[in-house]
Amino acid sequence: MAAEAGRSGDFGDIKSLLLSELQEQLRNLGEPSYRAGQIVDWLYKKRVDTLDKMTNLPRPLRSRLSEKFSLGKIDIVRVLGARDTTRKFLFRLADGNLIESVLIPATPALYGGRADRRTICVSTQVGCAYGCKFCASGLEGFSRNLSANEIVDQLIAVERATGEKIDNIVFMGMGEPLANLENVLRAIRIINAEWGLGIGARHITISTSGLAPQIRKLAEEPLQIRLAVSLHGATDEVRNRIMPINRRYNIETLLSACDYYNSHKKQRLTFEYILISDVNDSDEQARLLSRHAHRLSAKVNLIPYNSVSGLPWTRPSEKRQEKFLSILRAEGIPATLRREKGHDIDAACGQLRLQTERAELTKS
Ligand code: SAH
Ligand code: SF4
């Protein structure tokens, strides 16, 4: 829009740029490219919140940068949970939309974790368009994709608020990461880079409800990140009942995309499988799930369903959960049954819900 050209921040948020892009921008401004290194140092190591605080840059450069780029931040509206337990952070984005991240004190072993590590579960969209029948995030539909800087800022804001270093990141908050693949990959490059947040690719996991074409695209990415596939049903009949995406990409289409992924990656993938009473928790489903896991050499993470108010589903008894697990194990599948984290504060997976400012204000 020509009328708006020249307005501050027209080139977008500076935290959405990769180092190489920043170097190019600086060359275009007639500046030496080492300035880009200084800028990312201010952004990701010293973590200043205004361009003007980058005091080793010449003042005229700082003001030219401020004309071109914005440097946004996300504000914490509320934190739920105690210091030594799972904490849920509610953020307000620059446009007023609300999103959430969850900080989990110990990292689940399946995602490369250790008990003394901290995992953050980040959102990738405001809402979600995929409408899985069991999930809170899709209840109110989809608003918009998050930009790369809004994803990176979730980590920065949580580290700033807690003073704790995050070691592990899972893309399992609100939204479908593979439906926002470009921005998610951009954010991952920044999170992974030495000049950025420096978190190793093996400590980064993307979870998808099964967007088969995007799984193939991800397979072709050189980054050795982990992939978790939300299967939740071992037959089309069960999956169709709870996941509308299965009507677009059925199990065979999904599994063959996973085969393709495997042929490109060293890391084994994980199947996530929520156990929902009388929906997908039969012995037969467990046996078929084992077959799929064998085919993909996949690990299985069983998640007892977390109740969502307004939705009819319940979790199976512990006895049933254990039986389901034992069938997988008897078939030689590496499987775990997830222990509860954050259930009481609605911070468990699938309990992150699109919130409106008004709903928040009435609560507080
Ligand atoms: N959209 C992506 C990532 C976000 S959901 C996906 O679907 O994979 C992250 C995980 O939480 C998924 O495995 C999802 O199926 C699961 N989940 C959703 N609702 C849940 C609920 N009520 N209880 C337990 N897990 C849930
Ligand atoms: Fe969206 Fe994932 Fe929830 Fe399905 S489970 S509605 S894809 S966030």
Side-chain angles (χ1 to χ4, degrees), residues 128 132 134-136 171-177 207-209 228-230 232 243 272 274 303-308 338 349-351:
C128 182
C132 301
F134 46 80
C135 175
F171 287 84
M172 295 186 185
M174 192 191 287
E176 168 50 54
S207 175
T208 180
S209 59
V229 174
S230 296
H232 310 329
M243 301 179 75
E272 312 248 21
I274 309 175
I303 310 157
Y305 180 67
N306 292 314
S307 59
V308 172
R338 192 187 281 179
C349 290
Q351 291 181 307

Side-chain angles (χ1 to χ4, degrees), residues 117-278:
R117 301 212 159 207
R118 270 162 302 272
T119 292
I120 188 173
C121 171
V122 295
S123 295
T124 55
Q125 300 182 312
V126 182
C128 182
Y130 289 86
C132 301
K133 300 277 192 286
F134 46 80
C135 175
S137 297
L139 279 181
E140 274 139 279
F142 170 74
S143 293
R144 68 167 175 89
N145 282 331
L146 296 191
S147 57
N149 61 292
E150 288 170 331
I151 297 171
V152 175
D153 271 339
Q154 294 173 58
L155 278 91
I156 292 180
V158 168
E159 285 195 348
R160 183 180 290 147
T162 61
E164 291 171 32
K165 171 91 184 74
I166 290 164
D167 320 277
N168 214 70
I169 163 163
V170 295
F171 287 84
M172 295 186 185
M174 192 191 287
E176 168 50 54
L178 295 193
N180 185 15
L181 187 57
E182 199 182 315
N183 292 347
V184 166
L185 283 176
R186 185 171 275 276
I188 287 177
R189 291 204 176 88
I190 296 168
I191 289 164
N192 177 236
E194 274 310 317
W195 53 261
L197 299 186
I199 297 180
R202 284 176 182 73
H203 296 286
I204 301 174
T205 302
I206 290 186
S207 175
T208 180
S209 59
L211 276 63
Q214 279 83 350
I215 290 176
R216 288 172 183 270
K217 261 197 204 159
L218 193 62
E220 289 160 10
E221 279 293 320
L223 282 166
Q224 290 296 330
I225 51 178
R226 293 173 193 262
L227 180 65
V229 174
S230 296
L231 205 57
H232 310 329
T235 54
D236 284 326
E237 191 202 347
V238 170
R239 231 174 164 254
N240 281 342
R241 195 173 153 199
I242 52 180
M243 301 179 75
I245 181 85
N246 198 67
R247 294 181 190 273
R248 201 170 343 149
Y249 309 116
N250 65 17
I251 292 194
E252 185 43 43
T253 307
L254 172 57
L255 296 182
S256 85
C258 293
D259 283 331
Y260 183 78
Y261 186 88
N262 267 358
S263 67
H264 285 68
K265 298 283 179 186
K266 291 197 285 281
Q267 301 282 343
R268 295 300 80 178
L269 51 83
T270 301
F271 283 142
E272 312 248 21
Y273 197 97
I274 309 175
L275 288 168
I276 309 176
S277 187
D278 295 328

